[in-house]
Amino acid sequence: MSARQEAGTATAHRVVILGAGYAGLAAAIQLAARVKRREDVQVTLVNAQERFTERMRLHMTATGQRLAELSVPELLEGTGVQFVRGWVTAVDADAKTVRIDDDRVLPYDTLVYGLGGVADTSAVPGAEDHAYTLSSAQDAELLADRLARLGNGTVVVAGSGLTGIESAAEIAERHPELNVVLLGRQEPGAAMTPKARAYLRAALHRLGVQVRAGVEVVKVLPDGVELAGGESIAADAVQWTSGTRISPLAAAAGLAVDERGRIVTDATLRSVSHPEVYAIGDAAAIRQGYGVMHGTCQGGMPTGVHAALSIDRVLKGRQPKPFRFGYYHTPVSLGRGDAVVQFTRPDDSPRRFCLTGRMAVRYKETVTASPWPTYGRMKKMPASGAFWPRGGRFTREAK
Ligand SMILES: Cc1cc2nc3c(=O)[nH]c(=O)nc-3n(C[C@H](O)[C@H](O)[C@H](O)COP(=O)(O)OP(=O)(O)OC[C@H]3O[C@@H](n4cnc5c(N)ncnc54)[C@H](O)[C@@H]3O)c2cc1C
C-alpha cells in the first residue's frame, strides 16, 4: 500500500472493485486515472488471482496453448490502486463490507461488482460432477490435461452457442485424433445471416466436427450424455457450455437480482436496491432499449468505464449519466486458421455484412488482443477508454 493510501485510509472514500476481469480492470484503471490527484479517494481491486484471465482465449487454454503472462499488479503499477489477491466469500450490503477468503474484511463506501459468470452446470443433473467447463483458467487447464491424455476417443461439447462453437473447432483442430461432437438446441450461428451460418457450418465440417442441432442434453453421465427422448451418446470427455450463471454472492447479500442472479441496475449502472453498489460486466442485468444486455467483452469493458465515470461524477457532487451501449459485431474463431465475423446492428441483430477466412482471423485476433493495451493507454489518457458505440436510436429510450 502506498503512503498516500495509508494516509488517506481513515477519512478517504473507499471504492472497492470486485473482479479484475475485462470489466473490473476497465473500472479500476479508469477510476484511478480520474481520481489520481485526490487524497480523499482510495481504490481497491480484489481478484482471485494476480494473473489476468483472458477469458476470450480459454478455449485455447483448454487445448494446451500457452497464453501470455499478464500480471494485474504490474498493470496497476503507478495507478495508486491497491490490489488485494483473494476469493470473495461474502458481501454484507448493510454493513458495507466484503469478506475475503473468509478471514479478511474490507469496508467500502462504494462497491463495484464485476465478478463475471460461470458455465451453468446446475442446468442438468450430472453436469456439475462430470462435465468440464471454461469457467476459469484452472477449469480450462483441467480439460486440456484430459484431452491430452485421451489418445483417441469422443469429446462431446454440449451447447451450440459461441463458446461451444469456438471450443469444438479448437479441439478438432488441435486434436485431429479425437471425434468431436457439438450438441445443441440451435443450429450453430443461428443468430447470423444465412451466408455466415453456412460458412460456419462448412468450417466445422472441414475440421471434422459432427454437429447435431435440435437436440437437448438432459443429463451428463460419467461416460457420456443423455438426450431428451432417451438417446445416449458415449463420450470420454464432456464440455458444458450451455448457459451461464452468476455467483450467488449478490443475491445472498440482499441485492436485487434477476432470474439468473445478475444484479439489476438502473440506467446509470447502480443497483436498484443499493445505490452505493454498481454492477458491471457479465454479473449485471443492464436494460437498454432493445432488452437486457447479454455478457460480452465488447459491452463489459464500457460498463466498467462508465461505472468509473459515474463514481467520479458522484464524488464531485454531480449526477451520474445513463449508460448506453449498442453491439457492433459477433466474432467467432474456428480454430487458429479460420473465423467468421458477423457485423450487427446495435440490438445484436445481424447486418448483411460478414467477414470470413484470413480477414476474419486477423479481425478476431485484433479484438481479442485489444483489452490489455487499452488498459495501458487508459492509464495515461483516461479519455481514450471512453469511446464505444452508444447504440443510436436503439438505446435512446433507456435514457
Ligand atoms: C471462449 C470464450 C470466448 C469469448 N469470446 C468473446 C468475444 O469474442 N467477444 C466478446 O465480446 N466476448 C467474448 N466472450 C465473453 C467474455 O469473455 C465475457 O463476457 C467477459 O469475460 C465478461 O467480463 P467480466 O469482467 O464481467 O468477467 P470476467 O472476465 O469473467 O472476470 C471476472 C473476474 O472475477 C474473478 N472472480 C470471480 N469470482 C470471484 C470471487 N468470488 N472472488 C475473487 N475473484 C473472483 C475471476 O477470477 C475474474 O478474474 C467469450 C467468452 C468465452 C468463454
Side-chain angles (χ1 to χ4, degrees):
M1 193 184 286
S2 73
R4 180 173 80 86
Q5 286 162 337
E6 276 171 357
T9 302
T11 53
H13 184 99
R14 296 155 302 186
V15 181
V16 174
I17 300 169
L18 303 183
Y22 294 105
L25 261 184
I29 303 246
Q30 181 66 221
L31 183 60
R34 300 271 166 185
V35 300
K36 205 166 186 155
R37 286 187 192 83
R38 291 185 64 154
E39 297 287 322
D40 59 341
V41 182
Q42 182 186 320
V43 184
T44 303
L45 176 63
V46 185
N47 198 55
Q49 330 78 13
E50 293 195 347
R51 184 176 178 178
F52 178 61
T53 299
E54 287 187 275
R55 201 174 170 78
M56 289 193 282
R57 293 192 195 274
L58 283 185
H59 54 309
M60 296 168 66
T61 306
T63 49
Q65 298 171 68
R66 286 182 67 83
L67 305 185
E69 291 278 343
L70 305 176
S71 159
V72 173
E74 274 176 33
L75 179 73
L76 296 177
E77 271 169 25
T79 61
V81 176
Q82 182 195 353
F83 180 73
V84 173
R85 181 190 168 166
W87 187 254
V88 180
T89 49
V91 174
D92 186 331
D94 295 325
K96 296 192 190 168
T97 57
V98 175
R99 189 166 280 275
I100 297 165
D101 291 333
D102 273 335
D103 58 5
R104 279 180 289 170
V105 173
L106 267 185
Y108 65 81
D109 299 297
T110 299
L111 186 72
V112 182
Y113 190 104
L115 293 179
V118 292
D120 187 6
T121 48
S122 66
V124 300
E128 181 69 33
D129 293 331
H130 307 304
Y132 292 85
T133 67
L134 296 189
S135 294
S136 67
Q138 290 81 355
D139 291 331
E141 280 159 13
L142 282 178
L143 177 57
D145 190 50
R146 175 75 179 141
L147 296 178
R149 285 187 290 111
L150 274 184
N152 55 38
T154 298
V155 179
V156 159
V157 178
S160 54
L162 302 181
T163 303
I165 297 167
E166 292 196 328
S167 298
E170 204 81 26
I171 295 170
E173 185 181 83
R174 287 276 149 176
H175 294 282
E177 73 284 3
L178 293 174
N179 179 30
V180 182
V181 183
L182 177 61
L183 303 176
R185 290 191 198 103
Q186 290 194 310
E187 176 82 5
M192 297 180 166
T193 56
K195 183 182 164 201
R197 195 162 57 240
Y199 187 91
L200 203 144
R201 188 78 189 232
L204 289 171
H205 181 72
R206 175 178 52 74
L207 288 163
V209 176
Q210 284 178 51
V211 177
R212 284 192 58 187
V215 298
E216 177 146 1
V217 177
V218 293
K219 202 183 254 184
V220 180
L221 310 162
D223 54 0
V225 293
E226 193 179 302
L227 305 182
E231 184 189 349
S232 292
I233 298 178
D236 302 279
V238 176
Q239 185 191 339
W240 189 258
T241 72
S242 189
T244 52
R245 89 183 125 95
I246 305 307
S247 154
L249 285 178
L255 297 164
V257 297
D258 72 355
E259 68 292 345
R260 286 178 43 205
R262 296 178 298 183
I263 297 174
V264 180
T265 73
D266 67 11
T268 68
L269 304 187
R270 290 184 296 200
S271 154
V272 291
S273 59
H274 294 73
E276 69 284 1
V277 178
Y278 290 76
I280 57 174
D282 285 8
I286 300 166
R287 184 163 288 283
Q288 296 287 308
Y290 48 77
V292 177
M293 286 171 65
H294 62 88
T296 61
C297 178
Q298 62 173 309
M301 284 178 66
T303 63
V305 172
H306 189 86
L309 295 175
S310 297
I311 293 167
D312 184 41
R313 286 180 74 85
V314 172
L315 288 170
K316 287 174 178 155
R318 298 195 205 135
Q319 283 298 314
K321 289 184 178 171
F323 175 73
R324 292 175 60 198
F325 171 79
Y327 299 98
Y328 45 96
H329 64 200
T330 306
V332 188
S333 67
L334 298 163
R336 291 301 89 203
D338 206 353
V340 177
V341 180
Q342 173 69 68
F343 292 95
T344 66
R345 297 188 190 88
D347 63 354
D348 214 23
S349 61
R351 292 186 189 276
R352 268 182 46 205
F353 187 53
C354 68
L355 287 179
T356 56
R358 301 302 312 174
M359 291 271 283
V361 171
R362 270 202 290 276
Y363 184 101
K364 167 81 180 174
E365 178 51 30
T366 306
V367 167
T368 309
S370 66
W372 200 253
T374 300
Y375 301 135
R377 268 195 308 279
M378 254 202 274
K379 274 168 78 169
K380 296 181 200 114
M381 290 180 293
S384 67
F387 293 101
W388 63 83
R390 262 53 177 184
R393 66 183 168 83
F394 288 86
T395 59
R396 243 165 237 143
E397 72 182 74
K399 267 187 170 176

